[in-house]
mmCIF file of all heavy atoms in Angstrom:
data_model
loop_
_atom_site.group_PDB
_atom_site.id
_atom_site.type_symbol
_atom_site.label_atom_id
_atom_site.label_comp_id
_atom_site.label_asym_id
_atom_site.label_seq_id
_atom_site.Cartn_x
_atom_site.Cartn_y
_atom_site.Cartn_z
ATOM 1 N N VAL B 11 133.880 91.767 101.071
ATOM 2 C CA VAL B 11 134.346 90.744 102.005
ATOM 3 C C VAL B 11 133.877 89.391 101.465
ATOM 4 O O VAL B 11 132.720 89.248 101.063
ATOM 5 C CB VAL B 11 133.773 90.975 103.417
ATOM 6 C CG1 VAL B 11 134.048 89.775 104.312
ATOM 7 C CG2 VAL B 11 134.365 92.237 104.035
ATOM 8 N N SER B 12 134.787 88.424 101.465
ATOM 9 C CA SER B 12 134.449 87.091 100.984
ATOM 10 C C SER B 12 134.730 86.074 102.075
ATOM 11 O O SER B 12 135.806 86.104 102.682
ATOM 12 C CB SER B 12 135.271 86.762 99.733
ATOM 13 O OG SER B 12 134.920 85.481 99.242
ATOM 14 N N VAL B 13 133.762 85.212 102.343
ATOM 15 C CA VAL B 13 133.937 84.165 103.352
ATOM 16 C C VAL B 13 133.451 82.848 102.771
ATOM 17 O O VAL B 13 132.692 82.825 101.798
ATOM 18 C CB VAL B 13 133.168 84.483 104.656
ATOM 19 C CG1 VAL B 13 133.648 85.795 105.264
ATOM 20 C CG2 VAL B 13 131.669 84.492 104.429
ATOM 21 N N SER B 14 133.863 81.774 103.386
ATOM 22 C CA SER B 14 133.357 80.453 103.007
ATOM 23 C C SER B 14 132.087 80.145 103.785
ATOM 24 O O SER B 14 131.888 80.652 104.901
ATOM 25 C CB SER B 14 134.402 79.373 103.282
ATOM 26 O OG SER B 14 135.554 79.587 102.514
ATOM 27 N N GLU B 15 131.244 79.339 103.201
ATOM 28 C CA GLU B 15 130.028 78.929 103.896
ATOM 29 C C GLU B 15 130.409 78.257 105.215
ATOM 30 O O GLU B 15 131.322 77.424 105.257
ATOM 31 C CB GLU B 15 129.227 77.962 103.022
ATOM 32 C CG GLU B 15 127.802 77.768 103.480
ATOM 33 C CD GLU B 15 126.979 76.966 102.470
ATOM 34 O OE1 GLU B 15 127.579 76.304 101.601
ATOM 35 O OE2 GLU B 15 125.747 77.017 102.557
ATOM 36 N N GLY B 16 129.738 78.666 106.302
ATOM 37 C CA GLY B 16 130.042 78.129 107.621
ATOM 38 C C GLY B 16 131.060 78.934 108.398
ATOM 39 O O GLY B 16 131.221 78.727 109.605
ATOM 40 N N ALA B 17 131.744 79.848 107.748
ATOM 41 C CA ALA B 17 132.754 80.668 108.432
ATOM 42 C C ALA B 17 132.111 81.863 109.114
ATOM 43 O O ALA B 17 130.968 82.237 108.824
ATOM 44 C CB ALA B 17 133.802 81.141 107.432
ATOM 45 N N LEU B 18 132.890 82.464 110.006
ATOM 46 C CA LEU B 18 132.437 83.668 110.703
ATOM 47 C C LEU B 18 132.346 84.839 109.732
ATOM 48 O O LEU B 18 133.213 85.051 108.884
ATOM 49 C CB LEU B 18 133.438 84.016 111.815
ATOM 50 C CG LEU B 18 133.246 85.353 112.520
ATOM 51 C CD1 LEU B 18 132.029 85.310 113.431
ATOM 52 C CD2 LEU B 18 134.502 85.734 113.311
ATOM 53 N N VAL B 19 131.269 85.606 109.885
ATOM 54 C CA VAL B 19 131.126 86.840 109.141
ATOM 55 C C VAL B 19 131.416 88.007 110.082
ATOM 56 O O VAL B 19 130.855 88.072 111.190
ATOM 57 C CB VAL B 19 129.694 87.002 108.583
ATOM 58 C CG1 VAL B 19 129.534 88.363 107.901
ATOM 59 C CG2 VAL B 19 129.353 85.872 107.624
ATOM 60 N N LEU B 20 132.296 88.911 109.663
ATOM 61 C CA LEU B 20 132.591 90.124 110.426
ATOM 62 C C LEU B 20 132.628 91.290 109.454
ATOM 63 O O LEU B 20 133.496 91.354 108.581
ATOM 64 C CB LEU B 20 133.927 90.007 111.152
ATOM 65 C CG LEU B 20 134.470 91.285 111.801
ATOM 66 C CD1 LEU B 20 133.518 91.821 112.859
ATOM 67 C CD2 LEU B 20 135.860 91.052 112.401
ATOM 68 N N LEU B 21 131.687 92.194 109.600
ATOM 69 C CA LEU B 21 131.649 93.404 108.781
ATOM 70 C C LEU B 21 131.853 94.591 109.711
ATOM 71 O O LEU B 21 131.131 94.737 110.697
ATOM 72 C CB LEU B 21 130.306 93.513 108.043
ATOM 73 C CG LEU B 21 129.924 92.318 107.170
ATOM 74 C CD1 LEU B 21 128.596 92.581 106.463
ATOM 75 C CD2 LEU B 21 131.009 92.008 106.154
ATOM 76 N N LEU B 76 129.281 94.197 112.713
ATOM 77 C CA LEU B 76 128.224 93.192 112.493
ATOM 78 C C LEU B 76 128.861 91.811 112.394
ATOM 79 O O LEU B 76 129.849 91.632 111.671
ATOM 80 C CB LEU B 76 127.471 93.519 111.200
ATOM 81 C CG LEU B 76 126.295 92.610 110.829
ATOM 82 C CD1 LEU B 76 125.124 92.853 111.786
ATOM 83 C CD2 LEU B 76 125.863 92.875 109.390
ATOM 84 N N THR B 77 128.286 90.843 113.097
ATOM 85 C CA THR B 77 128.845 89.491 113.057
ATOM 86 C C THR B 77 127.743 88.456 112.892
ATOM 87 O O THR B 77 126.579 88.692 113.215
ATOM 88 C CB THR B 77 129.635 89.163 114.336
ATOM 89 O OG1 THR B 77 128.751 89.264 115.468
ATOM 90 C CG2 THR B 77 130.810 90.101 114.537
ATOM 91 N N LYS B 78 128.170 87.314 112.358
ATOM 92 C CA LYS B 78 127.319 86.134 112.305
ATOM 93 C C LYS B 78 128.240 84.923 112.425
ATOM 94 O O LYS B 78 129.239 84.855 111.718
ATOM 95 C CB LYS B 78 126.519 86.080 111.007
ATOM 96 C CG LYS B 78 125.576 84.889 110.928
ATOM 97 C CD LYS B 78 124.695 84.934 109.703
ATOM 98 C CE LYS B 78 123.777 83.710 109.669
ATOM 99 N NZ LYS B 78 122.836 83.735 108.535
ATOM 100 N N PRO B 79 127.947 83.995 113.329
ATOM 101 C CA PRO B 79 128.890 82.900 113.592
ATOM 102 C C PRO B 79 129.157 82.001 112.382
ATOM 103 O O PRO B 79 130.270 81.536 112.191
ATOM 104 C CB PRO B 79 128.207 82.098 114.711
ATOM 105 C CG PRO B 79 127.230 83.025 115.326
ATOM 106 C CD PRO B 79 126.783 83.947 114.228
ATOM 107 N N SER B 80 128.126 81.795 111.565
ATOM 108 C CA SER B 80 128.256 80.820 110.483
ATOM 109 C C SER B 80 127.524 81.330 109.244
ATOM 110 O O SER B 80 126.303 81.448 109.246
ATOM 111 C CB SER B 80 127.663 79.476 110.933
ATOM 112 O OG SER B 80 127.705 78.540 109.894
ATOM 113 N N ALA B 81 128.281 81.625 108.205
ATOM 114 C CA ALA B 81 127.696 82.218 106.993
ATOM 115 C C ALA B 81 126.921 81.177 106.187
ATOM 116 O O ALA B 81 127.319 80.009 106.080
ATOM 117 C CB ALA B 81 128.804 82.803 106.126
ATOM 118 N N LEU B 111 129.098 91.379 100.626
ATOM 119 C CA LEU B 111 129.509 90.097 101.187
ATOM 120 C C LEU B 111 129.295 88.992 100.158
ATOM 121 O O LEU B 111 128.187 88.830 99.641
ATOM 122 C CB LEU B 111 128.701 89.791 102.454
ATOM 123 C CG LEU B 111 128.958 88.424 103.090
ATOM 124 C CD1 LEU B 111 130.373 88.340 103.650
ATOM 125 C CD2 LEU B 111 127.932 88.137 104.195
#
Side-chain angles (χ1 to χ4, degrees):
Chain B
V11 170
S12 182
V13 300
S14 298
E15 195 171 17
L18 171 72
V19 175
L20 170 61
L21 304 182
L76 182 71
T77 60
K78 182 174 180 177
S80 177
L111 176 67

